[in-house]
Amino acid sequence: MQVLSTSGTRIINFTTREEISGSKTYSLVIKSEELNKVIFTDSNATLTAVDYYYTYSTTQALTEANFYTYEIRNTTDNTIIYRDKIFATDQTVSTFNISNNVYTESSTGDNEYIFA
C-alpha cells in the first residue's frame, strides 16, 4: 500500500510482473473505494524506470483519509502488470491518527461509581 498526500505532485513507486517495454502501451486507473467508481484514467501512462523499480507521477486530487485502488495494465497484451492500494492523508505517517479533527473527547465528570 502506498501512502500519498491529497494534493500536489505525488510519485507512485512499484515493481511489475513484467519488464516495461517502450514498444507497448500502458494504462493506469485509480478507483475510489468510498465512491466505488473510477476517478482517474491515464490511457497512455508514462512509467519511468529507476534502478530496480518503476515510478509514475500524478497530480490527481485525492480525499483525506480515503482508500483508493490502482491498476496498471499492459493494453497491448491486455494484461494486468500491477495492482495496489493508496491511502491518502496529509498527516505524517509517524504521527497519523485516524480520528484527527474528527472526534473531540469531552469530559462528562470524574467517572466515579457509587456502590450502596
Side-chain angles (χ1 to χ4, degrees), residues 103-112:
Y103 173 77
T104 304
E105 183 177 350
S106 61
S107 178
T108 58
D110 56 6
N111 291 330
E112 290 184 11

Side-chain angles (χ1 to χ4, degrees), residues 26-62:
Y26 299 92
S27 69
L28 181 129
V29 175
I30 300 176
K31 182 178 181 181
S32 169
E33 287 189 349
E34 180 180 348
L35 301 175
N36 195 28
K37 69 176 191 176
V38 173
I39 62 162
F40 177 75
T41 301
D42 184 350
S43 57
N44 193 16
T46 302
L47 310 175
T48 306
V50 179
D51 295 330
Y52 57 91
Y53 64 96
Y54 296 94
T55 64
Y56 177 80
S57 177
T58 183
T59 57
Q60 174 62 40
L62 303 174

Side-chain angles (χ1 to χ4, degrees), residues 18-19 21 23-26 73-81:
E18 64 183 46
E19 188 173 337
S21 169
S23 63
K24 297 181 180 182
T25 305
Y26 299 92
R73 182 179 291 272
N74 173 344
T75 56
T76 305
D77 301 330
N78 197 28
T79 58
I80 296 172
I81 62 169

